[in-house]
Amino acid sequence: MRTSTPARVGQYTALLAYLVFLAFPFLWLVSTAFKPPRELGSLHPTWVPKDPTLANFRQAFDEQPLLHAALNSLLAALAAAVVAVLIATPMAYVVARRRTRLAKAVTGWVVVSQAFPFVLLIIPLFLVLKNLRLINSVPGLVLVYVVWALPFALWMLAGYVRAVPPELEEAAAVDGAGRVRTLVSVTAPLLAPGIVATALFAFITAWNEFFFALVLLKTPEKQTLPVVLTHFIGAEGVADLGPLAAAAFLATLPSLVVFALIQRRITGGMLTGAVKS
Amino acid sequence: MRTRLLALVVLLLLAGCSSGGTRDDGRITLRFQSLAWQEESVAANEQLVKEWNATHPDVRVEYVQGSWDSVHDQLLTAFEGGEAPDIIHDASDDLADFAYGGYLADLGGLLPARLKSDIPQRSWETTTFGDGVYGVPFLQEPRVLIANATWLRKSGVRIPTPEKPWSWAEFRRITERLSGPGRYGVAWPLKEPVSATLNLSLSAGGQLFHRGPDGKVTVRFQAGDQVVPRTVHDQANTDRSASPTTLGSGGSDTLPGFFAGRYAMVPLGFSYRQQIVQQAPKGFDWQVLPAPAGAGGRTQGVSPQTLSIAEDCPHKKEAAEFLDFFLRPPNMVSLALGDWMLPTGTEALKDPALHRTKDGWATGTALAGHLRPAPAQSVRGYPEWKDKVATPALQEYYSGAIGIAELRRRLEEDGNLVLARYQR
């Protein structure tokens, strides 16, 4: 069925509006990062700074250990993404392929667990980590991030597993491949976009996370980027806007770069034509 | 896969075991979590810690940069987990739960006489809960009027001084006179309407919270309590001399309009001057004026910044010695200058740097003697009363959606129901 021209124009207009809506905060952040203080206080702000400056970046780096914090964030986020995917992939396979009551119960529990506010969990979690001597350590933070990302990663990957036709695995079995060989050679490559997307989700969640990092990390050399960013904010929400924008802009770059590098892997269509329907 | 996972968990545990730990060389280490955030303020804090460490080799203070954002939750978790910093920077209105919860040390017997006598009793009241003193109030800021000096000069209105401020009625008349099409005499940033209203209401003789002989607190919205809300409401809704759009804004949000000549005055905390100095267009002439006064004189409520010692701290005596050093008059001055606030210490307040006319320092310093504990300081249940009753009621009143009678009914009837639950 072909889409009529007016409908298509409408679709593209809606898409463009959505893109503008998504891009506006980031573009505004970039603009703010290069503005001198006097332009920040203008009633008629401009997209392009009249007098662009790098002073905000200099001040941000002078005042806070941004690079060190970024490294901590990167370490925590990468570790969390890798571990979450390693654990979630086999779990998701079982949940998706075995249509048992237990699998359904697990899926239900995963959805319910997402409703827990983390403020409810933070004190027990803190005590558990303290007993494990994992307070004020990046591994402790990674453990929390993995636990936090796991339910959603499991739920997300299970959907990808269900999208892989079981007939492909059956065909591999007919050809003499064992279960492990089938999983490694047939299912895993087809799951790659899902795995990448899930890893990206876990990475960005961990990269942006603030509250757990604030509570669990005590010493400055362990703090992550979101925690360090709040050092530009004072009581009652007053902020040193220029350096904050500069630091926040830098903080968004890794996520963008990671996404740009792997977004091709996420695109669908890899299964197209795999099965003759 | 299982073997790998097991190895990973073991690795994580081992890595965790290697982190943290305490010194075993006999030296005491105190962790000081500071919430200083402005460049000069952080520098002043770090410098003082450095000086202390240079002169006290056996008691090392470790400076930890904290954050005002979520500080209450962060501290609560740290207290519950027995991992709180030894020395804690916070604000007096955040201390009640920690003090009553037994998380903070009573400083009564720990602080030296010099520090006790240097800070006035009215300031100590902000950190006194029950029979104990749970923090040293050291920095505070009055609410002032930041004014467009050129506009005021041209209008010919009487310029108020700390000795002779405007009355609330005079303030209303003047803002009306300064207003015109698209221009307002005042822009009230009332994103947080409760603390601003309550603290300024002390100047009109307002009290709102009344403690009975049985120790129970009730809300009574009397004539003195109504002066400030009525003024704001009438400026915004009757005289059109207050911008209606800023009533839901934060202080920083009003500055662009102020610089652009839309508002003649903005009531702000004293420390906002730092942002004004940074952001004001070249040649913009501004000045600091005292807030209007009423039956209560120039009195204002404040919640000072505080320094406390954790109850779990094993070296309270040394921590108190550090506080004594940290809050010596010259040090208090540098901390105040760094944060663009006023010190609580009487000796520090005499420093010439705080009496300059430049950037309005002198005006603020002249108001220091009139600052009192915020009315809500010791009221149990105040946060809930504020969030559930007072904030929506005041917002609706200021926007013109409800009248003074309905505001009174909500603050008193609904408010007292909330407070009663905390006082059974």
Side-chain angles (χ1 to χ4, degrees), chain B residues 116-253:
Chain B
K116 283 180 180 173
S117 60
D118 185 43
I119 294 172
Q121 183 54 34
R122 60 176 178 272
S123 294
W124 285 116
E125 283 167 18
T126 64
T127 55
T128 302
F129 302 95
D131 296 329
V133 175
Y134 295 95
V136 184
F138 72 112
L139 291 178
Q140 57 188 355
E141 60 174 332
R143 207 168 287 267
V144 292
L145 297 170
I146 307 286
N148 182 324
T150 310
W151 191 341
L152 252 62
R153 218 173 20 247
K154 281 181 181 168
S155 70
V157 299
R158 179 179 79 81
I159 306 295
T161 62
E163 296 72 35
K164 203 166 183 292
W166 288 325
S167 67
W168 284 101
E170 191 181 6
F171 174 58
R172 187 180 159 188
R173 281 197 306 275
I174 283 167
T175 54
E176 193 170 13
R177 188 171 147 185
L178 293 169
S179 302
R183 301 173 85 202
Y184 298 96
V186 66
W188 285 96
L190 291 174
K191 190 178 179 179
E192 295 284 341
V194 182
S195 61
T197 306
L198 261 58
N199 289 340
L200 284 172
S201 287
L202 290 186
S203 70
Q207 198 181 334
L208 200 69
F209 298 104
H210 299 265
R211 197 175 291 276
D214 57 354
K216 291 188 176 176
V217 174
T218 51
V219 176
R220 288 206 297 276
F221 190 57
Q222 297 168 321
D225 302 300
Q226 296 178 17
V227 173
V228 175
R230 272 184 196 277
T231 304
V232 177
H233 172 275
D234 292 348
Q235 285 174 322
N237 298 283
T238 311
D239 310 339
R240 309 282 179 210
S241 60
S243 167
T245 56
T246 63
L247 290 174
S249 303
S252 304
D253 305 329

Side-chain angles (χ1 to χ4, degrees), chain B residues 76-100:
Chain B
L76 183 63
T77 311
F79 282 131
E80 286 284 348
E83 293 280 345
D86 300 293
I87 299 157
I88 295 155
H89 181 185
D90 202 350
S92 64
D93 58 356
D94 193 39
L95 294 186
D97 286 347
F98 298 144
Y100 288 121

Side-chain angles (χ1 to χ4, degrees), chain B residues 268-288:
Chain B
L268 290 169
F270 195 51
S271 62
Y272 270 90
R273 294 166 307 131
Q274 191 259 354
Q275 287 205 12
I276 290 164
V277 167
Q278 257 195 352
Q279 296 180 15
K282 280 195 177 82
F284 183 84
D285 192 10
W286 59 279
Q287 68 186 115
V288 175

Side-chain angles (χ1 to χ4, degrees), chain B residues 25-47:
Chain B
D25 58 0
R27 280 203 310 173
I28 291 169
T29 299
L30 298 170
R31 285 180 58 242
F32 166 37
Q33 179 173 289
S34 163
L35 302 180
W37 66 283
Q38 301 197 75
E39 196 176 0
E40 306 108 305
S41 177
V42 173
N45 272 262
E46 286 179 336
Q47 178 57 33

Side-chain angles (χ1 to χ4, degrees), chain B residues 299-324:
Chain B
T299 313
Q300 266 191 57
V302 286
S303 298
Q305 290 187 24
T306 56
L307 291 169
S308 305
I309 298 173
E311 178 61 33
D312 283 350
C313 172
H315 308 289
K316 294 186 183 71
K317 185 174 143 290
E318 289 80 2
E321 282 167 8
F322 171 73
L323 290 189
D324 181 36

Side-chain angles (χ1 to χ4, degrees), chain B residues 44 48 138-139 326-343 345 347-354 361:
Chain B
L48 291 177
F138 72 112
L139 291 178
F326 194 74
L327 299 176
R328 282 177 191 168
N331 298 347
M332 226 194 244
V333 172
S334 60
L335 292 168
L337 291 172
D339 253 332
W340 291 71
M341 292 175 112
L342 298 176
E347 279 305 310
L349 273 167
K350 292 174 188 169
D351 194 282
L354 299 170
W361 278 106

